[in-house]
């Protein structure tokens, strides 16, 4: 307690390394608990009163994606059958699909963010109470949720358009409903007949919900209804199971978000552990005479160890407490971020015991573990050392360190390789952690030659301050290595991610050049569209020579669900997508299928082979392999005849339009855009736009990862500040003597800054080197999945070296100022 109180600044700097990691843990748990609570409230509200749900069984995984048209449906006549079952109360056939409102500015509300839900208006449904107007009663009328209306600038009586999976519909807003907190989703309700016609098919329902009469249990009613269902492809489930499944699906999403964010929290804590270890190592070394005196007057080894660990507990407690408070602020920031991208959260944060428990557990355990080995070394100081003027801390031989570090590094590399080979991300994470730990153990051996090379220009450029700075960094390679290792981890991960992103973008560019022969590609910003009408509109544009409509679907072949494209003009793919047939023909007829070479090899297919394909509507049809083509990233692994696809879907889903023109210029592009003006969710892109669009997504993801990893780099900067501050205290007498023989304050500050920059550059060189190796390894491991071009962003990596130097300069500002302001006489007399 005395040491903690006597060195408040040291306590604050060390605790701050704990604060950031703990804040990430606490913020993630608070945020995901908040999301979970709000989804629970949403599902308990929307499913309230439902005793049984009748639904079609899922046939193809992924076939019931965002729009209900791809999912199997129920005949409307089934509702009457269910209504006759004893114990049934109210029966309602639901219609669900895709519908997006166009605002007064001509833009689709919601874009590619939260779901855009189309449904039927149920006057008896209390989930969406009417706020203004009335419910829709006929074609051309809709009710929309209040938040969508506000974003679109619409009110009751306004006319607008609604985008569906088909031609856009001109409608009148007749009602505004209160949808509650749907996390940014939009709701557009039609009368039931119109909803069936536009979203599914006349006479079809997505599902049927049933309430129970008094005294009838959910399970009893479910069993009665199941017995009257006319097809084994239909099933009845209890309302409780329906709500649990909804929660479970959301739970998987929340689990991914939680794991994703906690990974970065672990990285920050891992980096913080290096800072804590280094700080306590220096503190113990500086107090070695004091500790020896304690041993001389009777303190046992255990008592000395406990005293040092007690300081660590104090640091951990302070850091965990502040980190917990900062985590609440981080949760608020995350909520604002999700609100900005359309996933709106209302209400306050949910605060449970879990963030508190984990914050203190993580913060205090990591701090104590990191301080344990310095505490053990402190206990080994012999009592007789108190009689000496200088006390040297016991140091282990670097030979043992090299041997253990080499073994740990090799083991980590093997585990990381297995993880990259498909054995799991957890194995990859453990492998990376061991590699970083192993390299950190080897760093003191690497430090001497690397620091000598990096600092070789110091004496010539900076004269005496440069020479002293290099000698200070070389004086204690263990300390230099431990300080640089924290920065190494952050920069290694950032560099590896940048190598992967540069390789991905280069691969995308090559794939577009190789397989995209069309001049323009038309796609939807919303989640579903029917390409038939847009294709017809574009074909009338002067200068357009070829328009190929692409559809997307899935079927089950055996136990696997497979994705495919379908097209109305398969022969045109040779010109539009550079389709290169290896065998067979592109004439698909009504049941033909093209497969690429890798698929033909893995599935043992050849021209003439037949495949029993089970479609989302529950029906099975045989498709014939008409041809085999060279691998084409744009087309994927399968191209199905359009008639075979249309026979099994009520509302086909568009993937895009590929357009060839006589002259690809601005006038032609404007002509295409004018032809598509009735479809506000469609965008026209040329080849460069397609590249930029995909590469922009990669850049956004890399930016997100870099921002999350920035915390570890900030912690590393704090570690350099801590090390330099303690180093200045340790060298007080030395600095006083330098000042006494004529070293100016400016030279003293420069010496400290140059030493800081040298440590930071060593960490950068080590980290970037490891990052490049990992990036290349990951690229090679996934080269068969499309990332087949290796690209090392040299300019970006050079920028990180410069950034490391800047971090070194900033980290040295306060320690350098403090060193230059020392009283010379007091410094000389310092012991």
């Amino acid at each position: 307690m005395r040491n903690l109180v006597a060195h408040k600044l040291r306590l604050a700097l060390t605790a701050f390394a704990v604060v950031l990691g703990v804040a990430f843990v606490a913020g993630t748990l608070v945020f995901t608990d908040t999301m979970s609570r709000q989804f629970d409230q949403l599902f308990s509200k929307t499913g309230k009163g439902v005793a049984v749900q009748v639904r079609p069984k899922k046939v193809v995984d992924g076939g019931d994606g965002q729009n209900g048209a791809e999912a199997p449906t129920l005949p409307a006549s089934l509702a009457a059958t269910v209504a006759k079952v004893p114990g049934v109360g109210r029966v309602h056939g639901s219609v669900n699909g895709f519908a997006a409102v166009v605002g007064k500015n001509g833009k689709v509300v919601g874009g590619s963010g939260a779901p855009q839900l189309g449904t039927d208006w149920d006057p008896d449904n209390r989930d969406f109470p009417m706020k203004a107007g009335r419910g829709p009663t006929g074609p051309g009328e809709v009710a929309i949720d209040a938040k969508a209306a506000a974003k679109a600038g619409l009110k009751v009586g306004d006319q607008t358009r609604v985008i569906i999976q088909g031609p856009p519909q001109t409608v009148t807003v007749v009602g505004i409903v209160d949808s509650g907190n749907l996390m940014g989703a939009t709701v557009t309700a039609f009368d039931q007949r119109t909803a069936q016609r536009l979203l599914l098919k006349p006479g079809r329902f997505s599902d049927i919900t049933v309430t129970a009469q008094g005294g009838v249990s959910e399970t009893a009613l479910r069993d009665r209804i199941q017995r009257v269902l006319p097809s084994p492809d239909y099933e009845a489930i209890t309302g409780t199971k329906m709500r649990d499944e909804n929660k479970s699906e959301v739970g998987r999403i929340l689990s991914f978000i939680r794991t994703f964010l906690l990974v970065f929290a672990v990285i920050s804590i891992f980096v913080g552990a290096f800072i804590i270890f280094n700080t306590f190592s220096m503190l113990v070394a500086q107090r070695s005479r004091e500790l020896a005196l304690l041993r001389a007057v009777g303190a046992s080894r255990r008592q000395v160890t406990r005293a040092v660990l007690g300081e660590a507990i104090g640091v951990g407690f302070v850091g965990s407490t502040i980190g917990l408070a900062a985590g609440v602020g981080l949760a608020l920031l995350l909520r604002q971020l999700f609100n900005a991208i359309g996933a709106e959260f209302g209400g306050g944060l949910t605060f449970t015991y879990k963030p508190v428990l984990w914050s203190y557990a993580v913060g205090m355990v990591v701090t104590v573990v990191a301080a344990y080995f310095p505490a053990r070394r402190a206990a080994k100081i012999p009592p007789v050392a108190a009689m000496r003027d200088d006390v040297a801390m016991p140091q282990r031989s670097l030979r043992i360190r090299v041997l253990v570090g080499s073994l740990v590094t090799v083991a980590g590399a093997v585990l990381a390789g297995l993880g990259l080979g498909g054995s799991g991300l957890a194995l990859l994470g453990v492998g990376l952690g061991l590699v970083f730990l192993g390299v950190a153990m080897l760093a003191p051996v690497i430090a001497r030659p690397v620091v000598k090379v990096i600092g070789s220009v110091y004496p010539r450029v900076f004269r005496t301050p440069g020479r002293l700075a290099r000698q200070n960094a070389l004086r204690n390679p263990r300390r230099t290595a431990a300080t640089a290792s924290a920065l190494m981890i952050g920069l290694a991960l950032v560099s590896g991610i940048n190598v992967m992103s540069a390789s991905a973008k280069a691969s995308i560019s090559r794939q577009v050049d190789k397989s995209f022969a069309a001049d323009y590609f038309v796609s939807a910003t919303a989640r579903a569209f029917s390409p038939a009408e847009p294709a017809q509109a574009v074909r009338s544009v002067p200068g357009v020579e070829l328009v190929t409509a692409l559809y997307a679907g899935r079927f089950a072949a055996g136990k696997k669900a497979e994705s495919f494209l379908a097209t109305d003009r398969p022969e045109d793919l040779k010109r539009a997508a550079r389709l290169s047939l290896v065998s067979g023909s592109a004439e698909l007829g009504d049941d033909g299928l093209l497969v690429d070479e890798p698929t033909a090899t893995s599935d043992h297919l050849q021209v003439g082979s037949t495949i029993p394909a089970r479609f989302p509507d529950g029906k099975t049809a045989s498709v014939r392999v008409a041809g085999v083509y060279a691998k084409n990233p744009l087309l994927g692994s399968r191209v199905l005849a359009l008639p075979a696809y249309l026979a099994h879907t009520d509302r086909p889903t568009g993937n895009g339009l590929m357009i060839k023109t006589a002259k690809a210029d601005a006038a032609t592009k404007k002509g295409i855009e004018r032809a598509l003006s009735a479809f506000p969710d469609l965008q026209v892109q040329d080849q460069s736009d397609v590249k930029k669009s995909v590469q922009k997504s990669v850049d956004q993801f890399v930016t997100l990862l870099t921002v999350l990893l920035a915390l570890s780099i900030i912690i590393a900067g704090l570690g350099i500040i801590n090390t330099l501050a303690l180093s200045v205290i340790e060298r007080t007498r030395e600095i006083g003597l330098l000042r006494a023989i004529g070293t100016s304050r400016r030279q003293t500050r420069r010496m400290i800054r140059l030493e800081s920059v040298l440590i930071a550059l060593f960490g950068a060189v080590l980290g970037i080197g490891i990052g490049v190796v990992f990036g290349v390894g990951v690229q090679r491991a996934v080269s068969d999945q499309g990332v087949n071009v290796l690209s090392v962003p040299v300019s970006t990596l050079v920028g990180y070296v410069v950034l490391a130097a800047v971090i070194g300069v900033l980290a040295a500002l306060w320690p350098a100022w403090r060193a230059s302001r020392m009283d010379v006489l007091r410094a000389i007399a310092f012991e």
Side-chain angles (χ1 to χ4, degrees):
M1 289 297 296
R2 185 201 64 189
N3 282 316
L4 288 174
V5 174
H7 302 91
K8 298 181 182 65
L9 184 60
R10 185 183 70 204
L11 166 66
L13 288 172
T14 309
F16 203 68
V18 183
V19 167
L20 293 179
V22 170
F24 224 142
V25 173
T28 298
L29 294 176
V30 171
F31 177 66
T32 51
D33 284 347
T34 301
M35 290 179 68
S36 179
R37 184 204 65 183
Q38 295 202 5
F39 276 114
D40 286 347
Q41 291 176 347
L42 173 64
F43 291 134
S44 63
K45 173 187 174 183
T46 55
K48 189 175 182 180
V50 174
V52 177
Q53 181 191 47
V54 180
R55 65 186 185 184
K57 292 180 180 178
K58 183 184 290 187
V59 178
V60 180
D61 287 338
D64 56 351
Q66 190 57 47
N67 79 81
E70 279 297 324
T73 57
L74 300 172
S77 59
L78 185 58
T81 303
V82 171
K84 296 177 182 178
V85 174
V88 167
R90 180 174 178 272
V91 177
H92 176 71
S94 302
V95 181
N96 299 309
F98 166 82
V101 177
V102 178
K104 284 190 174 181
N105 59 0
K107 295 183 179 179
V108 178
V109 176
S112 57
Q116 295 142 307
L117 308 174
T119 187
D120 64 298
W121 170 250
D122 179 9
D124 297 325
N125 186 356
R126 298 181 181 179
D127 293 343
F128 302 135
M130 188 66 67
K131 289 189 66 176
R134 58 176 176 80
T137 57
E141 295 183 347
V142 297
I144 61 177
D145 68 280
K147 291 182 179 178
K151 292 178 182 178
L154 298 172
K155 60 183 183 301
V156 173
D158 287 347
Q159 273 202 341
T160 186
R161 286 179 294 171
V162 172
I163 305 299
I164 61 169
Q165 202 169 343
Q169 303 294 304
T170 300
V171 297
T172 300
V173 178
V174 297
I176 305 292
V177 300
D178 182 4
S179 62
N181 184 17
L182 282 180
M183 312 302 181
T186 64
V187 176
T188 305
F190 306 85
D191 70 276
Q192 192 174 76
R193 288 182 180 274
T194 303
Q196 288 175 317
R197 176 172 57 84
L198 297 179
L199 306 180
L200 295 180
K201 188 178 180 180
R204 307 296 294 186
F205 288 140
S206 300
D207 59 66
I208 297 170
T209 55
V210 181
T211 62
Q213 293 179 356
V216 180
S217 68
E218 285 187 345
T219 53
L221 189 59
R222 176 203 61 194
D223 295 340
R224 294 175 191 174
I225 292 174
Q226 184 68 55
R227 286 194 289 268
V228 303
L229 296 182
S231 170
D233 293 332
Y234 307 151
E235 65 177 349
I237 63 170
T238 63
T240 300
K241 182 179 180 182
M242 176 191 73
R243 289 183 286 272
D244 288 344
E245 286 183 353
N246 289 335
K247 291 178 182 179
S248 175
E249 186 173 346
V250 171
R252 286 194 293 271
I253 298 172
L254 294 180
S255 177
F256 172 78
I257 295 173
R258 184 183 294 114
T259 303
F260 179 76
L261 294 175
L262 285 177
V263 165
F264 295 94
V266 169
I267 292 170
S268 297
I269 292 167
F270 189 53
V271 172
F274 279 89
I275 307 305
I276 297 164
F277 172 82
N278 202 29
T279 300
F280 275 91
S281 295
M282 294 180 70
L283 293 177
V284 167
Q286 290 175 12
R287 289 159 46 200
S288 53
R289 184 177 176 83
E290 172 191 331
L291 296 172
L293 281 169
L294 288 174
R295 294 280 286 117
V297 297
S300 66
R301 286 189 173 187
R302 179 177 294 181
Q303 286 176 316
V304 171
T305 302
R306 284 162 56 190
V308 177
L309 289 180
E311 291 186 49
I313 291 172
V315 170
F317 181 80
V318 172
S320 299
T321 303
I322 300 173
L324 178 60
V328 175
L330 180 61
L332 289 169
L333 184 63
L334 287 171
R335 188 177 68 173
Q336 292 301 319
L337 177 63
F338 273 69
N339 287 345
I341 63 176
E344 299 174 3
F345 290 86
L349 296 177
T350 299
F351 199 80
T352 66
Y353 71 92
K354 289 189 291 185
V356 178
L357 180 65
W358 280 106
S359 294
Y360 284 102
V362 169
M364 296 186 70
V365 168
V366 168
T367 307
V368 171
V369 169
Y372 176 73
F373 290 104
R376 285 291 303 274
R377 289 218 313 272
K380 292 180 181 179
I381 299 175
V384 72
M387 301 177 186
R388 297 170 51 188
D389 290 332
D390 59 324
V391 182
M393 287 291 295
Q395 297 278 0
R396 287 189 177 183
S397 170
L398 285 178
R399 292 181 181 178
I400 298 175
R401 194 181 184 107
V402 169
L403 177 61
V404 175
S406 300
L407 292 175
V408 171
T409 304
V410 171
V414 170
L415 291 177
L418 292 174
L420 290 172
S423 298
L425 291 177
L427 206 60
L428 174 61
V430 172
L432 287 176
L434 288 176
V435 168
F436 285 134
L437 188 60
V439 172
M441 295 177 71
L442 295 172
V445 182
I446 305 170
R448 284 190 180 278
V450 175
V451 169
K452 281 183 179 179
V453 172
I454 297 174
S456 60
V457 299
Y458 271 21
R460 291 194 297 272
V461 177
F462 302 107
R463 308 278 181 183
T464 301
R467 185 179 298 107
L468 290 172
R470 188 176 70 160
Q471 290 174 352
N472 287 336
L474 290 170
R475 180 186 302 178
N476 192 332
R478 294 174 188 264
R479 179 191 305 164
T480 299
T483 308
S485 293
L487 186 61
M488 170 199 75
I489 297 170
L491 287 178
L493 293 171
V494 171
S495 300
I497 290 168
N498 275 269
V499 170
M500 270 303 299
S501 69
S503 299
K505 289 193 288 186
S507 301
I508 290 166
S509 182
R510 176 182 288 185
Q511 289 169 6
V512 171
D513 292 337
K514 184 178 179 181
S515 59
F516 192 91
D519 296 310
Y520 301 101
F521 185 76
V522 177
S523 59
T525 55
R527 301 202 177 190
F529 82 108
S530 175
E533 294 81 9
Q536 191 62 36
V538 172
R539 288 189 178 109
S540 62
V541 175
V544 171
E545 297 180 341
L546 178 153
V547 180
T548 302
L550 299 176
Y551 300 78
R554 292 169 71 85
F555 60 65
K559 295 182 179 180
K560 293 193 302 180
E562 309 288 3
S563 299
F564 63 81
L565 290 180
T567 178
D568 53 350
R569 302 186 180 189
E571 279 290 340
D572 290 346
L573 293 179
K574 293 180 180 178
R575 294 180 58 197
R578 291 197 173 97
L579 176 70
S580 177
L581 286 172
V582 177
S583 59
S585 168
E587 293 290 342
L588 300 183
D590 292 339
D591 63 347
L593 176 71
L594 299 177
V595 297
D596 66 358
E597 282 188 291
T599 302
T601 301
S602 62
D603 294 355
H604 308 291
L605 300 174
Q606 57 186 4
V607 175
S609 300
T610 58
I611 303 171
R614 186 168 171 82
F615 290 86
D617 64 352
K619 298 177 181 178
T620 301
S622 292
V623 293
R624 168 184 52 84
V625 177
V628 177
Y629 59 92
K631 186 175 181 179
N632 188 304
L634 184 63
L635 298 177
S637 56
R638 295 168 181 80
V639 179
L640 183 66
L642 186 59
Y645 171 58
L646 296 179
H648 299 282
T649 182
D650 296 329
R651 204 163 297 276
T653 303
N655 178 269
L657 303 178
M658 302 185 73
I659 304 169
K660 288 280 289 182
T661 62
K663 186 178 181 181
D665 55 14
T668 304
K669 186 176 182 180
K670 286 184 179 179
I672 296 172
E673 289 174 343
R674 279 195 299 270
L676 296 173
S677 59
F679 307 91
D681 59 324
L682 299 186
Q683 58 180 351
V684 182
Q685 297 177 305
D686 58 24
Q687 290 189 18
S688 63
D689 292 332
V690 171
K691 290 180 184 179
K692 290 177 183 177
S693 177
V694 182
Q695 291 174 348
K696 182 181 178 182
S697 300
V698 175
D699 286 336
Q700 289 174 339
F701 185 63
V702 170
T703 300
L704 172 63
L705 296 181
T706 304
V707 168
L708 293 173
L709 287 171
L711 269 183
S712 64
I713 297 174
I714 292 171
I715 293 173
L718 291 172
I720 297 175
I721 296 174
N722 227 2
T723 299
L724 290 174
L726 292 172
S727 178
V728 166
I729 295 172
E730 184 180 88
R731 303 192 325 247
T732 297
R733 190 166 185 272
E734 174 188 320
I735 294 171
L737 287 171
L738 288 173
R739 294 278 288 114
I741 63 174
T743 304
S744 67
R745 288 181 174 180
R746 184 178 181 182
Q747 288 175 317
T748 303
R749 289 195 297 268
R750 179 176 293 178
M751 177 185 70
I752 302 297
R753 285 199 301 268
L754 290 175
E755 180 184 352
S756 177
V757 169
L758 197 54
I759 293 171
L761 288 177
F762 172 56
V765 169
L766 208 59
I768 291 171
I770 295 172
V772 170
V773 171
F774 274 127
V776 172
V778 173
Q779 186 273 327
R780 295 301 183 197
V782 299
S783 60
D784 58 340
Q785 299 178 27
V787 187
N788 49 17
V789 179
L790 175 62
S791 177
V792 179
V794 177
S795 59
T796 301
L797 299 181
V798 170
Y800 287 144
V801 174
V802 174
L803 174 64
V806 172
I807 291 173
V809 171
L810 295 176
L813 290 178
W814 177 70
W817 177 85
R818 185 178 180 186
S820 69
R821 304 299 297 181
M822 283 183 183
D823 183 279
V824 176
L825 294 178
R826 288 184 180 179
I828 293 174
F830 183 83
E831 291 185 6

